[in-house]
Amino acid sequence: MTLPLLQDLRKIFKNDTGRVFIYPSSGTGAWEAAISNTLNLGDRVLMSRFGQFSHLWVDMAKRLGLDVVSVDVEWGQGVPLDAYQQDLQRDPSIKAVFATHNETATGVSSDIAGVRRAMNAAASDALLFVDGVSSIASIDFQQEGWGVDLAVTGSQKGLMMPAGLSMLGVSAKALDAAKSATMERCYFDFADMIATNNAGYFPYTPPVQLLHGLRASLDLLFEESLPHVFARHRRLAEGVRRGVQALGLDLYAVAPEWYSDTVSAIRVPDGIDGAEVCRIGFERYRTPFGAGLSQVAGKVFRIGHLGDLNEVMCLSALASAEMSLADAGAKIDLGAGTAAAQDYYRRALSPTNPEPQPV
Ligand SMILES: *Cc1c(COP(=O)(O)O)cnc(C)c1O
């Protein structure tokens, strides 16, 4: 069971020449595995913060003893390519660059190929670390094409499983770095994994039930085919965005270049409490919206649109959002959002009409 899983995960990461590791942990474990296997105490690393998840990775890097240069970006935007390039040019001692591909707290996607271009432009030979937990297997991800050295994901997002597995795509360069890196590591040690994985085993008891789940998940993804999976996420997201727009609401992402195809964070109107919208959605309409986290608590609610999902499920989320917002006191034209999304989905799925261009 294990060898085909590891082989098939490479297709998800698009990693031909490195390796993929599977850990019994949530996504956060693979963050730690990536750092502790390839870096040294005190290494200078370049990171950016623009939401709860990018914030937490910075916090971990500091606590593990890295010398973090952190660029603070206004929430609603993503990885700052120009600032990265300037920092890398100014400081050739930077050993690693970190990027959160999809910031789940704000619904912001960043340009990872662009991060690699900025590194090349600055002639940096740093390792590129990418948090792809809420992007990989839902939106395009190319570990090798984009020069990503360490790519993190987890089982409970695009892979449609319960939480409990993290997966780490590692480049040949990062595998090499792991041989001489000196940070302490044990449970997540690449060397122990390599020694046992090659024969289809793990250095400790693997969660076999989750590995069966991963098999089912990969089969579903390959049956649909990754290009179709990505197109479906694009379409589902676009319908939600049109619904939000038709309700007169704004996304938290400040411009279309940042829009995420896996989650939309929606600003609640002035005077309305986003936490109340979530509470009503959950208690009255049985819809678990994502709440606003830390800096955006109460200011947004989130519709997740990734994984095992279709157009009608997105319409139900919009319908529930309309009712929850109205019940929380917002002036909402009931049905306006769902109608706009229905219109888009009908045209996008019509065999005779070409797919309308995203707004
Ligand atoms: C969910 C998520 C994580 C990992 O969280 P875990 O709870 O440890 O699985 C990390 N980064 C992003 C962007 C996420 O969405």
Side-chain angles (χ1 to χ4, degrees), residues 34-292:
I35 292 174
S36 62
N37 276 282
T38 59
L39 296 174
N40 311 299
L41 274 185
D43 276 353
R44 178 159 299 170
V45 302
L46 179 61
M47 306 182 79
S48 47
R49 280 191 291 212
F50 39 79
Q52 180 68 357
F53 292 93
S54 45
H55 170 84
L56 286 172
W57 212 7
V58 168
D59 180 60
M60 171 187 278
K62 289 182 176 166
R63 287 163 64 180
L64 290 175
L66 298 176
D67 175 11
V68 179
V69 177
S70 170
V71 185
D72 279 305
V73 176
E74 185 200 337
W75 288 31
Q77 302 177 34
V79 178
L81 301 184
D82 291 343
Y84 268 24
Q85 186 174 329
Q86 282 157 23
D87 283 342
L88 288 165
Q89 262 152 359
R90 218 178 3 243
D91 188 349
S93 74
I94 291 171
K95 292 274 181 44
V97 174
F98 287 64
T100 298
H101 188 195
N102 190 78
E103 175 49 79
T104 318
T106 55
V108 161
S109 281
S110 288
D111 175 8
I112 301 302
V115 176
R116 173 48 74 185
R117 277 198 299 278
M119 293 171 70
N120 289 344
S124 164
D125 68 349
L127 293 169
L128 175 55
F129 288 58
V130 174
D131 175 348
V133 178
S134 61
S135 61
I136 289 172
S138 303
I139 58 183
D140 189 24
F141 190 84
Q142 303 180 30
Q143 174 153 22
E144 263 174 44
W146 299 343
V148 176
D149 292 296
L150 294 126
V152 176
T153 195
S155 51
Q156 80 271 29
K157 307 274 170 76
L159 290 163
M160 308 172 279
M161 292 172 57
L165 288 183
S166 65
M167 282 135 282
L168 181 63
V170 185
S171 70
K173 181 178 168 183
L175 287 169
D176 227 38
K179 292 180 192 149
S180 55
T182 57
M183 196 177 281
E184 299 291 352
R185 63 198 102 130
C186 172
Y187 191 72
F188 292 116
D189 198 329
F190 289 176
D192 296 340
M193 279 288 185
I194 292 169
T196 48
N197 278 181
N198 285 344
Y201 289 89
F202 290 87
Y204 31 68
T205 317
V208 177
Q209 71 284 23
L210 289 175
L211 297 180
H212 282 293
L214 181 59
R215 180 70 268 154
S217 154
L218 294 171
D219 289 346
L220 284 169
L221 290 167
F222 295 145
E223 186 189 358
E224 185 177 357
S225 92
L226 287 180
H228 284 100
V229 171
F230 301 154
R232 173 168 54 82
H233 282 86
R234 178 103 237 225
R235 188 171 67 239
L236 296 177
E238 184 59 28
V240 170
R241 287 192 283 264
R242 291 192 186 207
V244 168
Q245 193 181 41
L247 288 170
L249 302 176
D250 291 318
L251 294 176
Y252 202 79
V254 298
E257 62 179 302
W258 303 115
Y259 289 173
S260 162
D261 284 342
T262 59
V263 56
S264 291
I266 300 152
R267 285 178 191 270
V268 290
D270 283 344
I272 303 300
D273 178 7
E276 182 68 357
V277 175
C278 291
R279 189 189 64 75
I280 293 171
F282 186 69
E283 290 180 1
R284 229 169 268 176
Y285 303 117
R286 296 287 178 261
T287 312
F289 294 113

Side-chain angles (χ1 to χ4, degrees), residues 326-339:
D327 293 358
K331 286 202 185 63
I332 286 292
D333 190 2
L334 286 178
T338 43

Side-chain angles (χ1 to χ4, degrees), residues 315-337:
L315 290 172
S316 75
L318 282 169
S320 178
E322 291 172 350
M323 294 191 288
S324 305
L325 280 158
D327 293 358
K331 286 202 185 63
I332 286 292
D333 190 2
L334 286 178

